[in-house]
Amino acid sequence: MIMKKLVSFAIGGGAVIAAVAAISLPTTQQTVEAAVTIPPPPTNVVVTEGNQVAVFAGGCFWGMEGVFQHVRGVRSVVSGYAGGSAETATYEQVGTGRTGHAEAVRIVYDPSVVTYGELLRIYFSVAHDPTQVNRQGPDVGPDYRSAIFPQNAAQRSVSRRYIALLNESGRFSRPIATQLESGRFYRAEDYHQNFMNRNPRHPYILAHDVEKVEDLRATFPDMFTSTPAA
């Protein structure tokens, strides 16, 4: 968590960025988890007209945002905080791990192009490691937990059944840690939005997130788009 704080604190000036870059480079304990090949969900949300919303948490929202921006049918992705109150939905407070929030992304998607079940498959396979408890790679704390915030009963049912299937599939070496939670989503500060596209050479992005987008391209080529959503 300290390292992530330093990286985000470095957005202001070049000298500080250079200093933090050295801290941000990956160590052997910080390698990116490889994508896991998994079956599709056993059930899916019924396709309806109009755009739908999904909210996922799984570590630093920079990488989650960057992955889902490259999914065909996704119209927009917003980074933010889910699961806590509006009063403490700021980066500094959420980073203490005491607000109840998780760093999350709010995805607006066209269900006639990409289904909720397909988004879940990408979430569990590519976007993060769903077996890690209260962490992703170098980022540690409950604000980096794996959690789904279903927007309706259908999403909750599909997510619950999929987690059960994945635990039974033997595709992961540890149990799925992802929790189904409730709570509102609060948009993060402007400097976190569209972060990967605006900062493609940022040390944290290079070390932890670029490979996830490449995994998306390789694992789900029919769902990949090279033009990121806003």
Side-chain angles (χ1 to χ4, degrees):
M1 181 180 295
I2 294 175
M3 185 191 70
K4 178 113 184 310
K5 283 289 185 184
L6 288 171
V7 171
S8 66
F9 198 75
I11 294 175
V16 181
I17 289 175
V20 174
I23 301 174
S24 305
L25 292 176
T27 68
T28 55
Q29 288 76 37
Q30 297 174 2
T31 55
V32 178
E33 294 288 337
V36 179
T37 302
I38 56 177
T43 59
N44 212 331
V45 174
V46 175
V47 175
T48 58
E49 292 186 4
N51 291 335
Q52 300 295 312
V53 173
V55 177
F56 300 144
C60 175
F61 43 30
W62 295 347
M64 292 285 288
E65 178 190 62
V67 168
F68 284 104
Q69 283 180 318
H70 284 279
V71 175
R72 185 173 55 85
V74 168
R75 302 308 180 210
S76 68
V77 186
V78 174
S79 290
Y81 314 108
S85 66
E87 292 75 16
T88 55
T90 68
Y91 189 63
E92 289 72 19
Q93 294 179 90
V94 171
T96 66
R98 297 192 295 268
T99 68
H101 295 89
E103 288 196 13
V105 291
R106 182 181 186 272
I107 303 163
V108 176
Y109 66 98
D110 181 347
S112 69
V113 180
V114 60
T115 67
Y116 184 74
E118 288 171 329
L119 293 177
L120 282 178
R121 196 178 184 191
I122 292 168
Y123 168 75
F124 283 112
S125 172
V126 171
H128 81 309
D129 177 358
T131 69
Q132 294 196 35
V133 178
N134 289 341
R135 72 172 299 157
Q136 282 294 305
D139 300 319
V140 181
D143 43 320
Y144 297 111
R145 66 187 182 273
S146 177
I148 297 171
F149 293 81
Q151 301 300 291
N152 51 53
Q155 288 187 3
R156 184 172 293 274
S157 176
V158 169
S159 300
R160 184 179 65 251
R161 293 182 182 184
Y162 197 25
I163 290 172
L165 172 68
L166 293 177
N167 276 324
E168 294 169 358
S169 71
R171 300 298 177 89
F172 293 94
S173 60
R174 299 182 296 269
I176 300 296
T178 310
Q179 299 296 311
L180 302 185
E181 302 188 24
S182 300
R184 294 187 60 185
F185 177 88
Y186 304 96
R187 188 181 190 276
E189 297 82 352
D190 287 346
Y191 65 87
H192 287 302
Q193 306 303 325
N194 199 30
F195 192 89
M196 185 184 294
N197 291 320
R198 292 188 298 104
N199 303 275
R201 305 302 299 172
H202 191 286
Y204 186 96
I205 295 298
L206 291 174
H208 305 292
D209 296 327
V210 170
E211 187 174 330
K212 294 178 183 178
V213 176
E214 291 305 314
D215 283 345
L216 174 67
R217 185 201 303 266
T219 308
F220 301 99
D222 293 341
M223 285 186 269
F224 180 83
T225 175
S226 59
T227 304

